[in-house]
């Protein structure tokens, strides 16, 4: 059976950093796939966007179509090797929050684990302010907290439509990155032997 782990967290939580470090330490050889990158490639091919940060401004219907195409590509890869999907559980759009994985999409992917990386709103806000490479919307700490709450709710919904277990990993400034990475490595190591 394919072994798929979804790792998620709102922008600025440290998700990509934890993921890259964990992949260097795990005994399993995962293929890291950024779900948004696959969607972005499809959107560029269709002439819908030119820059990654324009994706969240597409209509929900267009985004859902891109999500389905991305899910189908990922399942093909997961048949051959374990996959770690770096993505967002919910995406803030001008008209509301969009689920990263609608029912049809999560059923196609059928992950083993959904990992949520979290931090305090003040930590996330500070990290965002230090990251000048991205064109991100400005959010208050209250909005950041709401977004994290919505991610937890989304993860529960995803687990209801798949075989996934949910794991929350906290990435606090005083906790240390090493501990958060170790928690993710423990999950990834479960894939060892699945593709022999």
């Amino acid at each position: 059976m394919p072994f798929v782990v979804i790792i998620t967290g709102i922008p600025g939580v440290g998700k990509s950093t934890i993921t890259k470090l964990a992949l260097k330490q795990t005994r399993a050889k995962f293929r890291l796939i950024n779900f948004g990158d696959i969607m972005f490639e499809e959107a560029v091919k269709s002439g819908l966007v030119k820059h990654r940060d324009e994706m969240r401004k597409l209509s929900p219907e267009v985004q859902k179509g891109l999500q389905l195409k991305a899910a189908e590509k990922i399942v093909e890869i997961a048949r051959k090797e374990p996959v770690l999907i770096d993505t967002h559980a919910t995406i803030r759009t001008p008209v509301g929050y969009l689920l990263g994985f609608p029912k049809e999409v999560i059923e196609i992917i059928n992950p083993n684990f959904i990992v949520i990386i979290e931090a305090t709103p003040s930590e996330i806000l500070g990290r965002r302010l230090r990251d000048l490479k991205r064109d991100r919307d400005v959010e208050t700490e209250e909005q950041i907290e709401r977004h994290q709450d919505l991610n937890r709710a989304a993860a529960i919904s995803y687990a209801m439509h798949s075989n996934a277990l949910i794991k929350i990993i906290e990435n606090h400034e005083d906790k240390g990155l090493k501990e958060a990475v170790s928690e993710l490595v423990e999950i990834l190591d479960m894939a060892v032997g699945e593709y022999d």
Side-chain angles (χ1 to χ4, degrees), residues 58-75:
L58 294 172
S59 75
E61 296 78 26
V62 170
Q63 290 198 39
K64 283 179 190 174
L66 295 169
Q67 290 167 328
L68 285 167
K69 287 180 183 178
E72 290 164 0
K73 286 186 176 185
I74 289 168
V75 169

Side-chain angles (χ1 to χ4, degrees), residues 41-177:
E41 289 168 13
E42 293 296 323
V44 169
K45 280 184 205 172
S46 302
L48 299 169
V49 296
K50 292 181 181 175
H51 189 272
R52 174 75 184 260
D53 289 314
E54 295 173 323
M55 291 290 291
R56 67 182 179 274
K57 294 176 181 157
L58 294 172
S59 75
E61 296 78 26
V62 170
Q63 290 198 39
K64 283 179 190 174
L66 295 169
Q67 290 167 328
L68 285 167
K69 287 180 183 178
E72 290 164 0
K73 286 186 176 185
I74 289 168
V75 169
E76 286 303 311
I77 294 167
R79 289 191 177 111
K80 300 175 189 137
E81 58 189 316
V83 170
L84 177 59
I85 303 172
D86 181 346
T87 192
H88 297 289
T90 57
I91 300 101
R92 187 172 177 232
T93 73
V95 293
Y97 290 90
L98 176 70
L99 284 177
F101 296 110
K103 179 178 178 284
E104 302 83 10
V105 175
I106 201 69
E107 287 176 347
I108 291 170
I109 295 173
N110 196 27
N112 301 80
F113 283 91
I114 299 166
V115 177
I116 306 170
I117 307 295
E118 293 187 350
T120 66
S122 62
E123 289 169 330
I124 292 169
L125 186 58
R127 291 171 189 161
R128 287 181 181 179
L129 293 173
R130 291 188 296 271
D131 183 6
L132 303 175
K133 293 178 272 181
R134 297 292 301 272
D135 177 25
R136 292 184 167 145
D137 293 335
V138 177
E139 291 182 289
T140 65
E141 288 186 24
E142 183 180 67
Q143 290 169 319
I144 290 170
E145 183 174 7
R146 182 181 311 121
H147 198 166
Q148 287 196 123
D149 289 344
L150 286 169
N151 278 356
R152 284 185 178 201
I156 291 167
S157 171
Y158 301 154
M160 288 174 57
H161 296 289
S162 68
N163 294 315
L165 296 173
I166 300 168
K167 171 75 174 172
I168 296 173
I169 297 175
E170 296 183 10
N171 182 27
H172 300 298
E173 302 291 341
D174 62 348
K175 178 183 176 187
L177 185 61

Side-chain angles (χ1 to χ4, degrees), residues 15-25 32 86 184:
K15 170 178 53 70
S16 297
T17 300
I18 291 169
T19 299
K20 287 174 186 167
L21 292 171
L23 287 173
K24 291 178 182 176
Q25 296 178 27
L32 176 61
D86 181 346
L184 181 56

